[in-house]
Amino acid sequence: TNRLLETCDAGWLAALRGEVPAGRTPIFVVGMPRSGSTLVEQVVASTNVVSLIGESTLFPWCLLELGERRYGNVSYADLMARLTRDDITELRRAYLQGVAEQTEDEGPFLDKQLTNHRYVPVLAL
């Protein structure tokens, strides 16, 4: 984890942050079980503006698939060190395409997969 912290610093974020295309906006709820995440989800859902995709495992699978296809069987820290802007663009496209297959709404959506806390550096991009 120290290597991951050293890799995913402000410089890493700046180097990989590209222009975010217009489109659906994800809202990620991450954390620990029994921490109030369902209440957060219910409050957000009550706005009737945000779609819910539940505790989707879509993002980790998209990241795993991209990593294996481009870089082979590497650790998460190694993958983070190798990511490019093109990778981030492809990851975003694959994830949003998967979300589109789950919900027909076109506005913002909430992904409440608590274990996504592992991916916060790349989720920020």
Side-chain angles (χ1 to χ4, degrees), residues 3-29:
R3 180 159 178 248
L4 188 59
L5 290 172
E6 291 169 1
T7 298
C8 300
D9 61 7
W12 178 85
L13 283 169
L16 292 179
R17 180 160 295 156
E19 189 170 321
V20 177
R24 299 197 71 181
T25 302
I27 301 167
F28 296 100
V29 174

Side-chain angles (χ1 to χ4, degrees), residues 63-116:
L63 182 61
L64 178 66
E65 191 278 327
L66 175 110
E68 286 183 353
R69 186 169 32 80
R70 294 237 175 140
Y71 305 107
N73 188 17
V74 298
S75 71
Y76 177 57
D78 286 339
L79 176 59
M80 293 302 98
R82 295 177 184 193
L83 284 176
T84 66
R85 278 189 181 181
D86 288 342
D87 292 336
I88 298 299
T89 299
E90 183 175 334
L91 178 60
R92 183 182 296 117
R93 182 201 51 74
Y95 177 67
L96 292 177
Q97 181 179 348
V99 169
E101 293 169 5
Q102 292 181 21
T103 176
E104 294 180 10
D105 296 334
E106 298 197 13
F109 62 93
L110 188 137
D111 183 336
K112 193 190 91 151
Q113 180 54 259
L114 300 182
T115 58
N116 276 346

Side-chain angles (χ1 to χ4, degrees), residues 47-62:
T47 66
N48 293 324
V49 175
V50 177
S51 301
L52 305 178
I53 65 168
E55 296 182 19
S56 172
T57 57
L58 181 60
F59 185 82
W61 281 110
C62 289

Side-chain angles (χ1 to χ4, degrees), residues 30-38 40 114:
V30 300
M32 300 300 293
R34 314 285 315 150
S35 64
S37 59
T38 299
V40 169
L114 300 182

